[in-house]
């Protein structure tokens, strides 16, 4: 052992760790990690074999050494495989005991030439035993290597070298095994994260389509019915409604494009104006009071989405005659409340694919720390309230009271 020494060489990174882990040698990262571990083990075993052969051992002794080395190598690969620490305690006790026998019995013959093999036993103990007991046994194995140099009457420096090399070998085996396991876990986790990201993007796309197009299509349907009624007697008003339908159609197309690109900034003030127009066309009296000032862009989009879904529900699930929209800012939160009448007791939408709008809204509000509450009264009223904690100072308060001529229409 003392005649053939190897020193590890540090390899500097190229600044692209992902390429090093995944594409180094055109091998998948987990396989590369296992190959590095195997190469290190083979180097240690070959050094020990060379030390034994250089000590002029007999053919019988060399044969015994090869058999013992092969046994230790097999046990070490067994202990370094993924999931080895999860094996039953009885099985781990048997394999560690066999490795201990193959480690210490040849010491009686080969003495210091066999010393590095104790490092593999120390590494296996670290891999298989609970941390507290493992490090204690690791230290015991290192201390046991004081005996061969002392029996050979070697200098103190040589004695320290054998103890230190045993402990270092154990750490190398332990570290390379854990590193290979970590690379495997990271490789699997990256694939799982990719699948999760794809799933989340699909959910986002479905949620945005529901929130954006559900309202637009309901409004277009309502406007179409209104145009059908107005055409015989009021062609002028019908033409004006057609213009609004065209505007809504163009906006729906823009919404689809924004969903596909992932950018969907919406404005609560704009949605209130749109809601007034659509609800008025359905003969629903609108009373809107907005006193929230300037909202952060993300909150503005969330509240606009809540209002759009609420108006969609009013059009689809009720025979409302009035709708109250209130947005206000308190000391510590911003609140949007929509109240309408005309909801039948125990009503459930029987149409297929009736949607999951309220669930989508709860998801959006949770993302900004908000909450959503709904309540259906015995008198046929429905109340939806969205609350979000205050996130930054407001600008100048804006007030829009919309019980105007458009509502009267």
């Amino acid at each position: 052992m003392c005649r053939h020494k190897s020193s590890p060489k540090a390899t500097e990174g190229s600044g692209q760790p992902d390429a090093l882990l995944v594409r180094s040698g055109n091998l998948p990262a987990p396989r590369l990690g296992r190959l590095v571990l195997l190469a290190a083990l083979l180097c240690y075993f070959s050094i020990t074999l060379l030390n034994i052969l250089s000590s002029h051992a007999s053919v019988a002794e060399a044969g015994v050494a090869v058999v013992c080395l092969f046994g230790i190598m097999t046990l070490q690969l067994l202990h370094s495989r993924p999931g080895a620490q999860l094996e039953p305690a009885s099985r781990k006790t048997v394999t560690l005991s066999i490795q201990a026998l193959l480690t210490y019995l040849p010491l009686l013959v080969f003495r210091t030439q066999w010393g590095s093999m104790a490092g593999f036993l120390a590494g296996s103990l670290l891999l298989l035993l609970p941390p507290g007991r493992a490090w204690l046994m690791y230290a015991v194995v290192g201390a046991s290597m004081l005996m061969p140099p002392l029996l050979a009457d070697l200098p103190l420096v040589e004695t320290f070298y054998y103890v230190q090399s045993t402990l270092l070998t154990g750490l190398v085996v332990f570290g390379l095994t854990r590193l290979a396991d970590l690379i495997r876990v990271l490789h699997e986790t990256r694939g799982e994260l990719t699948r999760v990201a794809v799933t989340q993007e699909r959910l986002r796309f479905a949620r945005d389509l529901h929130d954006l197009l559900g309202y637009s299509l309901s409004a277009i349907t309502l406007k179409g019915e209104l145009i059908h009624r107005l055409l015989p007697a009021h062609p002028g008003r019908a033409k004006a409604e057609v213009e609004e339908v065209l505007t809504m159609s163009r906006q729906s197309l823009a919404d689809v494009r924004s969903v596909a690109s992932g950018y969907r900034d919406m404005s609560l003030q704009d949605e209130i104006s749109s809601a007034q127009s659509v609800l008025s066309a359905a003969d629903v009296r609108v009373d809107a009071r907005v006193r929230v000032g300037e909202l952060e862009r993300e909150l503005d989009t969330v509240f606009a989405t809540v209002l759009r879904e609420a108006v969609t529900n009013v059009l689809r699930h009720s025979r409302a005659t009035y709708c109250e929209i209130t947005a206000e800012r308190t000391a510590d939160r911003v609140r949007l409340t929509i109240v309408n009448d005309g909801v039948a007791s125990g009503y459930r939408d029987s149409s297929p694919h009736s949607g999951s709008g309220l669930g989508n809204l709860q998801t959006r509000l949770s993302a900004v720390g908000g909450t959503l509450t709904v309540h259906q009264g015995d008198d046929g009223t429905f109340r939806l309230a969205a609350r979000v904690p205050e996130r930054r100072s407001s600008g100048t308060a804006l007030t829009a009271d919309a019980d105007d001529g458009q509502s009267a229409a």
Side-chain angles (χ1 to χ4, degrees), residues 51-272:
N51 286 332
I52 292 173
L53 295 177
S54 64
S55 65
H56 306 292
S58 65
V59 175
E61 291 175 341
V64 171
V66 170
V67 171
C68 292
L69 285 173
F70 180 78
I72 294 176
M73 179 74 170
T74 302
L75 289 172
Q76 189 58 60
L77 291 176
L78 183 67
H79 295 160
S80 295
R81 78 186 193 282
Q85 67 273 21
L86 302 178
E87 293 289 337
S90 58
R91 183 177 301 179
K92 291 189 291 187
T93 301
V94 171
T95 56
L96 286 174
S97 299
I98 296 174
Q99 187 173 2
L101 290 176
L102 294 177
T103 298
Y104 285 109
L105 289 180
L107 279 174
L108 301 175
V109 178
F110 302 109
R111 300 293 177 91
T112 56
Q113 304 300 329
W114 191 257
S116 63
M117 292 299 99
F120 292 99
L121 176 61
S124 295
L125 292 170
L126 292 177
L127 290 172
L128 299 184
L129 297 182
R133 195 165 37 149
W135 288 105
L136 177 61
M137 297 300 295
Y138 168 81
V140 170
V141 171
S144 69
M145 295 312 297
L146 290 171
M147 296 305 298
L150 292 178
L151 293 176
D153 197 22
L154 295 178
L156 182 62
V157 174
E158 293 284 344
T159 302
F160 174 79
Y161 168 76
Y162 286 110
V163 174
Q164 183 266 347
S165 63
T166 298
L167 296 177
L168 178 60
T169 302
L171 287 178
V172 169
V173 171
F174 174 72
L176 287 179
T177 301
R178 287 289 180 259
L179 181 61
D181 290 342
L182 179 61
I183 292 174
R184 176 180 58 83
V185 171
L186 288 176
H187 194 270
E188 295 174 354
T189 302
R190 183 172 57 182
E192 184 64 26
L193 288 176
T194 301
R195 289 189 290 272
V196 170
V198 171
T199 301
Q200 289 180 340
E201 181 61 17
R202 288 174 178 170
L203 291 175
R204 180 197 71 82
F205 195 84
R207 183 173 62 243
D208 289 355
L209 280 179
H210 176 277
D211 294 343
L212 292 173
L213 297 187
Y215 168 82
S216 299
L217 295 177
S218 298
I220 291 172
T221 301
L222 176 66
K223 290 285 188 179
E225 294 174 353
L226 179 60
I227 292 170
H228 181 73
R229 296 198 307 266
L230 291 176
L231 272 176
H234 304 282
R237 287 189 57 192
K239 182 179 179 180
E241 294 294 339
V242 169
E243 293 292 337
E244 289 197 21
V245 169
L246 290 176
T247 301
M248 289 180 180
S249 300
R250 296 188 186 100
Q251 182 59 47
S252 298
L253 179 60
D255 288 340
V256 172
R257 290 170 177 169
S258 68
V259 169
S261 62
Y263 298 100
R264 295 181 305 96
D265 289 339
M266 299 168 62
S267 168
L268 177 60
Q269 293 284 359
D270 293 343
E271 287 303 316
I272 288 177

Side-chain angles (χ1 to χ4, degrees), residues 395-408:
T396 305
L398 300 177
T399 303
D401 292 320
D403 187 8
D404 50 15
Q406 198 172 29
S407 301

Side-chain angles (χ1 to χ4, degrees), residues 178-376:
R178 287 289 180 259
L179 181 61
D181 290 342
L182 179 61
I183 292 174
R184 176 180 58 83
V185 171
L186 288 176
H187 194 270
E188 295 174 354
T189 302
R190 183 172 57 182
E192 184 64 26
L193 288 176
T194 301
R195 289 189 290 272
V196 170
V198 171
T199 301
Q200 289 180 340
E201 181 61 17
R202 288 174 178 170
L203 291 175
R204 180 197 71 82
F205 195 84
R207 183 173 62 243
D208 289 355
L209 280 179
H210 176 277
D211 294 343
L212 292 173
L213 297 187
Y215 168 82
S216 299
L217 295 177
S218 298
I220 291 172
T221 301
L222 176 66
K223 290 285 188 179
E225 294 174 353
L226 179 60
I227 292 170
H228 181 73
R229 296 198 307 266
L230 291 176
L231 272 176
H234 304 282
R237 287 189 57 192
K239 182 179 179 180
E241 294 294 339
V242 169
E243 293 292 337
E244 289 197 21
V245 169
L246 290 176
T247 301
M248 289 180 180
S249 300
R250 296 188 186 100
Q251 182 59 47
S252 298
L253 179 60
D255 288 340
V256 172
R257 290 170 177 169
S258 68
V259 169
S261 62
Y263 298 100
R264 295 181 305 96
D265 289 339
M266 299 168 62
S267 168
L268 177 60
Q269 293 284 359
D270 293 343
E271 287 303 316
I272 288 177
S273 299
S274 178
Q276 289 172 337
S277 174
V278 173
L279 291 175
S280 297
D283 295 328
V284 178
R285 179 173 57 86
V286 182
D287 182 11
R289 295 183 296 275
V290 182
R291 299 181 179 86
V292 293
E294 182 181 354
L295 291 174
E296 184 182 351
R297 185 174 61 181
E298 184 179 12
L299 296 185
D300 205 14
T301 298
V302 169
F303 279 122
T305 304
V306 171
L307 178 59
R308 176 171 287 200
E309 176 61 27
V311 173
T312 302
N313 290 338
V314 171
L315 295 175
R316 294 182 59 189
H317 306 320
S318 72
R319 298 178 180 273
T321 61
Y322 76 89
C323 179
E324 297 179 359
I325 303 172
T326 305
E328 58 185 358
R329 185 192 301 270
T330 61
D332 58 348
R333 67 183 57 196
V334 182
R335 180 175 62 187
L336 173 66
T337 306
I338 300 97
V339 181
N340 65 275
D341 64 346
V343 179
S345 178
Y347 173 81
R348 293 292 184 274
D349 187 7
S350 59
S351 61
H353 310 294
S354 57
S356 56
L358 296 181
N360 290 344
L361 295 184
Q362 182 61 67
T363 300
R364 293 179 183 276
L365 288 166
S366 297
V368 294
T371 59
L372 178 72
T373 58
V374 295
H375 177 262
Q376 182 174 337

